[in-house]
Amino acid sequence: MQAMVLEAAGLPLRLTELPIPEPSSWQVRLRVLACGVCRTDLHIVDGELTEPKLPLVPGHEIVGRVEAIGAAVEGFAIGDRVGVPWLGATDGTCPYCRNGEENLCDNARFTGYQIDGGYASHTVADARYCFHLPDHYGDAEAAPLLCAGLIGYRSLKMAGDAARLGIYGFGAAAHIVAQVARHQGREVFAFTRPGDIRAQDFALELGAAWAGGSDEAPPKQLDAAIIFAPVGALVPAALRASRKGGVVVCGGIHMSDIPSFPYEILWEERVLRSVANLTRADASEFLALAQTAGVKTSVVEMPLAAANEALGRLRHGDLTGAAVLIP
Ligand SMILES: [Zn+2]
Ligand SMILES: [Zn+2]
C-alpha cells in the first residue's frame, strides 16, 4: 500500500510503500476513498503536538470502504462505507469514560497521531469508533465532517444557546459550523485574517450576517464566540467582543500563547473554555444533524502524494474550505 509517512517532526512527509495491514479482531481494514487534511495534522507535522508515534501515517478524517473484517466486529460488513474520526480508542474504565466524557479519557489514543491514519491507500481502524456515513455525501465531501464538523459541532454545543455567534478563523470547521448555526436560527459574525476578502466573501455566501478582520469589532456584541484559528491573541479580542455572561470557546488542539489581559474583559461572568476531542455520541448527533441541516462541505481534492502541498496551503491560509487527499 502507499502512504505518506512522517518520520520525524519538521520533515516533509515521504511517499512510502508499506505492507497492507491485517485487521485484529476489533478492527476493519479499509480501502481509503478520501482523507481530509486537518489543522491538527499540521500541528503534528510541525512538532507542536509532541507525542506522535513515529514513523506515523497522519490523517483522521478518513472515508473508507470495508474490505476485511476482524472476528469480533459488529455493525459493519464488507463493502460498507465508513468514517474514521480522531478518537481512535479509549480504555472504557477511567473516571472520565465512566462519566460519559470519553473525549477526556486518561488513556485515549488518536487516529493519525498514536494510531496510523488515512494519508494512505489502506488503513485499519477499531470498528467500535467508526461510523456509517450519510449516503448523499460524496467521499471527499464526507471527509471534513469527521473532524472539522465533529469538533466544530462540539464547540458549538459549548457555546450554549447564543443567538449572536462569533467565529474566529474561517476555515474547514467554521464553514460547517456556520451552516449549522444558521440552520438553528443564529446570527453568525465571521472574523478572518485582516484583509482576507476571499474568506470574508465565503462566510457571507454561507449566510454570515457580518464578516471582517479579527482586528475589527463586530457591529453587535456577541453572545458567544468560537476561536478556530490557533492564535492566542484572539482570546482577549473575543472576550472584548462578547457581552456580559458571554462564552468564548477555544476549538483547537493547539494555540500560540495567550497574551495577558485585564481582568475587566473576563469580569461580569464571561466564560473562557476549551474543547477537547469528541465523544462517539457527538459523532452520531452531528452526522444526523448535518443531513437535516443540509450542510454542504466545500472541498479541494488533491492526490495523496500532494499531502505536503496540502499542508503548506493550509498553513498559508490558501484554501477555501477543506483539503481532501484522494489516494
Ligand atoms: Zn477512559
Ligand atoms: Zn482534526
Side-chain angles (χ1 to χ4, degrees), residues 2-168:
Q2 303 240 292
M4 291 298 286
V5 176
L6 177 69
E7 281 157 357
L11 295 180
L13 307 182
R14 206 169 68 168
L15 185 62
T16 308
E17 193 74 33
L18 297 173
I20 292 185
E22 281 309 315
S24 66
S25 61
W26 293 103
Q27 287 178 326
V28 286
R29 183 174 74 227
L30 306 174
R31 167 166 275 285
V32 177
L33 303 169
C35 184
V37 176
C38 175
R39 182 166 293 282
T40 297
D41 303 339
L42 205 50
H43 295 314
I44 294 168
V45 169
D46 288 349
E48 288 156 340
L49 297 183
T50 55
E51 294 170 16
K53 78 178 267 294
L54 288 172
L56 171 74
V57 180
H60 57 270
E61 295 180 313
I62 308 170
V63 177
R65 180 88 53 202
V66 178
E67 61 167 32
I69 206 158
V73 170
E74 290 172 6
F76 295 99
I78 287 175
D80 283 358
R81 189 175 74 149
V82 305
V84 185
W86 169 246
L87 185 71
T90 62
D91 58 16
T93 55
C94 77
Y96 298 100
C97 284
R98 282 187 275 129
N99 196 36
E101 299 174 297
E102 65 181 2
N103 60 307
L104 301 177
C105 176
D106 285 333
N107 296 297
R109 292 163 67 233
F110 300 103
T111 311
Y113 189 37
Q114 284 108 17
I115 302 169
D116 279 335
Y119 284 21
S121 60
H122 297 74
T123 193
V124 287
D126 187 322
R128 294 169 293 183
Y129 298 85
C130 295
F131 300 95
H132 292 283
L133 294 168
D135 281 336
H136 76 280
Y137 287 99
D139 299 331
E141 286 72 28
L145 300 176
L146 288 158
C147 183
L150 282 182
I151 308 275
Y153 171 66
R154 190 172 172 86
S155 304
L156 182 61
K157 284 205 296 188
M158 299 304 175
D161 59 3
R164 291 174 186 161
L165 177 72
I167 302 179
Y168 287 79

Side-chain angles (χ1 to χ4, degrees), residues 242-260:
S242 300
R243 66 159 171 82
K244 291 183 275 191
V247 181
V248 174
V249 181
C250 300
I253 193 170
H254 173 83
M255 195 178 237
S256 56
D257 286 355
I258 300 170
S260 71

Side-chain angles (χ1 to χ4, degrees), residues 233-284:
L234 295 176
V235 170
L239 284 169
R240 284 182 205 281
S242 300
R243 66 159 171 82
K244 291 183 275 191
V247 181
V248 174
V249 181
C250 300
I253 193 170
H254 173 83
M255 195 178 237
S256 56
D257 286 355
I258 300 170
S260 71
F261 55 82
Y263 177 60
E264 66 183 74
I265 65 173
L266 182 63
W267 164 242
E268 292 166 328
E269 302 197 344
R270 290 176 183 83
V271 174
L272 174 61
R273 67 169 302 160
S274 65
V275 159
N277 313 317
L278 67 135
T279 67
R280 285 171 281 182
D282 293 330
S284 305

Side-chain angles (χ1 to χ4, degrees), residues 170-190:
F170 211 85
H175 97 286
I176 295 173
V177 168
Q179 294 174 64
V180 175
R182 290 294 301 131
H183 171 75
Q184 295 171 333
R186 306 175 197 243
E187 250 184 315
V188 172
F189 299 82

